[in-house]
Amino acid sequence: YVDMVICSSKEQAELISAYNSNVRVILDSHHEFLQPNKSINPLHSDQNSIFWEGQTATLHALHQISTPLIEIYKEQNFRLELVTDKKHKLLMNRYISTKSDNQIPNLKRHLGDAVSLHTWSKELVIEIAKRSTLGIVPVNMKSAIQRLKPENRIMILWTLGLPCLA
């Protein structure tokens, strides 16, 4: 019943095209993260930090890489900087709040104070990216929503000049 559907990834377009033949992909620009005349050089960062940002609903994707992160941490200490909301809604993203770090108990147990959870803001994303060495985008391939959206997070990291492991 619509003339056109606009979505933000080619994977979404493929799925939607079963319902509407006029689908257009418009990637999010992430212009709000552009830093004119400011260069981020993460390879020469004074901290050994791994950076992750996103909604609390995607924090659980860190579970699938927690074992390798813990093994790497044993050999090479690093900081894991997480930028998201400090509270997570458990039911329908609306009810029953819990602390967001409860979503990553294995990492908190093994990395301890090396895991920092920061409240999301554009300014904080930029600040922490500047002092980080690497950005990570773990994608839970079993989650249809996560599987269709990693481009946005990768583009934010690249816009900030941060190498990314996805």
Side-chain angles (χ1 to χ4, degrees):
Y1 300 108
V2 297
D3 294 323
M4 179 189 300
V5 177
I6 298 172
C7 59
S8 63
S9 76
K10 64 181 183 179
E11 295 90 355
Q12 287 176 331
E14 288 173 15
L15 292 173
I16 294 167
S17 67
Y19 304 99
N20 189 302
S21 60
N22 192 11
V23 181
R24 300 287 186 262
V25 175
I26 301 176
L27 295 176
D28 296 337
S29 72
H30 303 295
H31 66 279
E32 67 272 22
F33 292 105
L34 290 175
Q35 298 293 295
N37 303 321
K38 293 183 181 177
S39 175
I40 296 175
N41 193 350
L43 297 178
H44 297 96
S45 171
D46 58 348
Q47 293 188 21
N48 195 14
S49 296
I50 296 176
F51 174 77
W52 176 92
E53 77 83 28
Q55 296 180 346
T56 57
T58 61
L59 258 175
H60 64 84
L62 290 169
H63 288 297
Q64 64 192 352
I65 63 168
S66 64
T67 300
L69 284 175
I70 292 164
E71 292 302 315
I72 292 168
Y73 182 77
K74 289 176 185 175
E75 294 179 24
Q76 172 95 28
N77 286 357
F78 60 85
R79 296 207 46 77
L80 181 59
E81 305 280 359
L82 310 175
V83 183
T84 189
D85 294 321
K86 293 224 175 174
K87 290 192 176 184
H88 174 67
K89 301 286 186 178
L90 294 173
L91 184 60
M92 298 168 44
N93 205 24
R94 202 169 172 182
Y95 305 105
I96 308 174
S97 291
T98 184
K99 290 181 179 180
S100 294
D101 58 5
N102 289 340
Q103 299 280 92
I104 51 165
N106 199 30
L107 288 171
K108 288 293 287 181
R109 183 171 47 254
H110 288 89
L111 276 60
D113 291 338
V115 178
S116 296
L117 188 72
H118 307 275
T119 301
W120 197 100
S121 74
K122 178 185 80 166
E123 294 76 22
L124 204 52
V125 167
I126 293 167
E127 177 189 323
I128 294 173
K130 284 181 182 180
R131 66 178 190 232
S132 295
T133 309
L134 175 71
I136 56 172
V137 181
V139 178
N140 180 353
M141 296 304 286
K142 294 177 183 173
S143 167
I145 292 173
Q146 283 191 34
R147 195 173 57 240
L148 298 178
K149 294 295 282 178
E151 295 95 334
N152 284 326
R153 294 177 56 217
I154 293 169
M155 296 212 25
I156 289 170
L157 295 172
W158 286 350
T159 299
L160 291 169
L162 196 57
C164 178
L165 179 63

